[in-house]
Amino acid sequence: MKDVNVGICGLGTVGGGTFNVLTRNASLITGRTGFNLRIARVATRTPRNDIDLGDIPFSTDIFDVVNDPSVDVVVELIGGYETARELVLAAIRNGKHVVTANKALIAVHGNEIFEAAAKQNVIVSYEAGVAGGIPVIKAVREGMAANRVDWIAGIINGTGNYILTEMRAGREFAEVLKEAQDLGYAEADPTFDVEGIDAAHKLTILASAGFGVPLQFEKAYTEGISEITPYDIAHAEILGYRIKHLGIARRRDEGIELRVHPTLVPRSHLIAQVDGVLNAVLVDGDAVGQTMYYGPGAGDEATASAVIADIIDAARSVAAKSNQRVPYLGFEPAAMEDLPVLPMEDVQSAYYLRIQALDRPGVLAKVASILSEHGINIESIMQKESELKDGRIPVIILTHTVQERQINRAIEELEALSDIDEKVVRIRAENFN
């Protein structure tokens, strides 16, 4: 029975989980694949006393792994950008297959990495980088290969989802963020999570795999959740919606939408029921319709599950001495389309608006007139008489779908009215029809 040699770079949370699952389930994996996945070398800058490497060669220099001629598959789990990029490109030059859980690396440098891998005819896999243990990349690239994917929408950052879930109880953002940090869900610097950068990395990859377009992370629109209030969460619920921090990619004739922002979703929809640190991704295909992939988006062994599935795919190629592989982004290079990412002004969405109006006759008529002049139809409106205070009254409006530029112009005019106090609060809404 053939041995396939694996080298692990990085022994942090995911690296440790990968080592432990590979070791614990070695015989199970052999039974399913017909070959032995052998950990041939481990390198990490910070050794771990809680993991027994036995007689496996160990180094603090991660490049020892890619330069070891016995290693068939290099597993990059160090994170970050430049060192990880150098490591992966060196492994490719040495003719080794690569598995990574590094979404930032793929989103930013993936085009370069895949081009280099294609020249060397090696596999580069990244399932664990997008939604932790959820095998959504495999589902999109392989399970939905017969479909034209029209849109993808997902809760793809567990920290943000945990915060918004806890805020439904009336708690403020800052309080819940501190709790998430104490629990280890959020970093000391939570910017990537709460401002949507982490989700934009993942959405960029999903959009490329779904639509067959180059990776274009720098063009993704990101908006965080730090301005969301318990008040708006509660009133979204009254309207039949729940606020989720979504990544949304939609294919249109003129290009693709690529955006991350707080979003009202119907409370009855499955994705609205995904709470806490869990992730979920909706994919809409022309043949299959809507499908949803749900589960843990992070964690040591959950993410290791996806890492090892990728290792097994690469190992099958080694064991079979086959050059056949799934295209890196699901499409052969000649079939990739250079569709532009549309500016946010061209995005189409429904909108939740909260307006702080002075309690004067005719104010609602002025608001409705401005919206109408910009081609914006109102689906529902609430005037909160019970919250009249200091001569000001909240007005909450839910619109039908319009272009973002229409709502931008309308908000500009609304805020210029002497009858309107404070900035207009705007949150996008999606019904997934």
Side-chain angles (χ1 to χ4, degrees):
M1 187 172 291
K2 180 173 177 58
D3 285 348
V4 177
N5 291 332
V6 177
I8 299 176
C9 299
L11 212 59
T13 299
V14 178
T18 299
F19 181 91
N20 289 335
V21 175
L22 272 174
T23 304
R24 184 176 73 236
N25 292 344
S27 61
L28 174 70
I29 293 168
T30 298
R32 285 180 165 165
T33 62
F35 51 77
N36 294 317
L37 278 183
R38 174 178 170 269
I39 302 175
R41 182 176 286 273
V42 172
T44 180
R45 286 169 287 194
T46 306
R48 287 181 58 169
N49 296 326
D50 60 328
I51 294 179
D52 182 9
L53 297 179
D55 59 357
I56 297 171
F58 169 79
S59 172
T60 56
D61 184 351
I62 54 176
F63 286 89
D64 286 347
V65 174
V66 302
N67 293 322
D68 185 334
S70 74
V71 170
D72 300 303
V73 182
V74 171
V75 185
E76 182 277 303
L77 300 173
I78 64 171
Y81 290 99
E82 287 309 318
T83 302
R85 172 181 168 273
E86 292 174 19
L87 181 79
V88 167
L89 289 175
I92 290 169
R93 284 195 300 272
N94 289 347
K96 302 181 188 301
H97 301 300
V98 174
V99 172
T100 179
N102 191 336
K103 66 272 184 178
L105 173 71
I106 297 301
V108 175
H109 297 298
N111 293 326
E112 175 191 13
I113 288 168
F114 296 145
E115 183 179 356
K119 289 177 181 176
Q120 291 289 348
N121 204 18
V122 296
I123 291 169
V124 175
S125 298
Y126 49 87
E127 179 72 71
V130 175
I134 308 171
V136 66
I137 293 297
K138 192 174 288 290
V140 170
R141 291 196 315 180
E142 300 173 50
M144 296 189 69
N147 287 257
R148 172 191 166 99
V149 173
D150 293 318
W151 56 262
I152 298 169
I155 298 167
I156 43 182
N157 181 273
T159 302
N161 199 43
Y162 174 82
I163 291 171
L164 291 177
T165 298
E166 293 298 312
M167 287 179 69
R168 291 212 304 270
R171 303 170 67 192
E172 295 291 339
F173 170 82
E175 175 194 350
V176 182
L177 172 59
K178 175 64 167 57
E179 178 178 274
Q181 290 171 319
D182 291 343
L183 291 169
Y185 298 151
E187 301 290 339
D189 179 0
T191 303
F192 268 44
D193 291 327
V194 301
E195 296 303 331
I197 299 167
D198 174 78
H201 284 142
K202 298 168 183 176
L203 183 69
T204 297
I205 298 168
L206 280 168
S208 292
F211 304 145
V213 297
L215 295 151
Q216 301 174 79
F217 166 72
E218 71 282 359
K219 297 178 183 176
Y221 173 83
T222 59
E223 183 179 312
I225 60 173
S226 58
E227 300 300 318
I228 298 296
T229 66
Y231 185 94
D232 291 314
I233 289 173
H235 285 79
E237 294 272 340
I238 292 170
L239 290 166
Y241 289 82
R242 192 154 282 171
I243 297 179
K244 294 293 183 181
H245 200 199
L246 294 188
I248 299 171
R250 180 175 283 110
R251 182 184 182 121
R252 290 167 47 192
D253 291 341
E254 60 270 35
I256 62 169
E257 298 178 4
L258 194 63
R259 50 194 171 101
V260 175
H261 51 70
T263 311
L264 271 71
V265 298
R267 209 168 55 221
S268 59
H269 199 287
L270 277 175
I271 202 166
Q273 314 303 317
V274 177
D275 287 339
V277 295
L278 294 171
N279 283 196
V281 180
L282 289 168
V283 184
D284 186 77
D286 68 332
V288 72
Q290 285 188 34
T291 58
M292 190 172 94
Y293 309 88
Y294 162 86
D300 53 356
E301 294 201 354
T303 307
S305 170
V307 170
I308 295 168
D310 277 348
I311 295 172
I312 289 169
D313 281 348
R316 284 196 172 107
S317 180
V318 173
K321 298 182 180 179
S322 167
N323 293 328
Q324 188 175 9
R325 56 174 172 76
V326 177
Y328 304 111
L329 289 169
F331 289 76
E332 294 295 341
M336 298 285 282
E337 296 183 76
D338 195 16
L339 293 175
V341 175
L342 299 174
M344 275 303 290
E345 281 204 335
D346 289 341
V347 162
Q348 296 177 354
S349 179
Y351 294 86
Y352 164 102
L353 305 176
R354 175 163 58 83
I355 300 164
Q356 197 73 6
L358 299 182
D359 187 28
R360 296 172 180 168
V363 174
L364 275 182
K366 291 179 184 177
V367 169
S369 176
I370 288 173
L371 294 177
S372 177
E373 286 169 6
H374 290 280
I376 301 166
N377 293 324
I378 296 173
E379 180 176 311
S380 61
I381 186 167
M382 287 192 295
Q383 184 171 327
K384 305 292 290 184
E385 299 282 357
S386 61
E387 297 179 21
L388 176 62
K389 184 178 179 181
D390 299 327
R392 295 167 176 81
I393 187 168
V395 177
I396 295 168
I397 294 170
L398 191 64
T399 77
H400 287 283
T401 299
V402 295
Q403 275 198 328
E404 181 110 351
R405 65 166 45 85
Q406 293 170 265
I407 209 79
N408 287 344
R409 291 169 182 167
I411 287 174
E412 186 178 348
E413 288 192 30
L414 288 171
E415 291 179 342
L417 289 175
S418 60
D419 300 307
I420 302 300
D421 194 32
E422 302 177 4
K423 294 286 186 182
V424 174
V425 172
R426 175 255 306 275
I427 305 174
R428 297 167 190 89
E430 293 285 338
N431 288 298
F432 305 119
N433 296 325

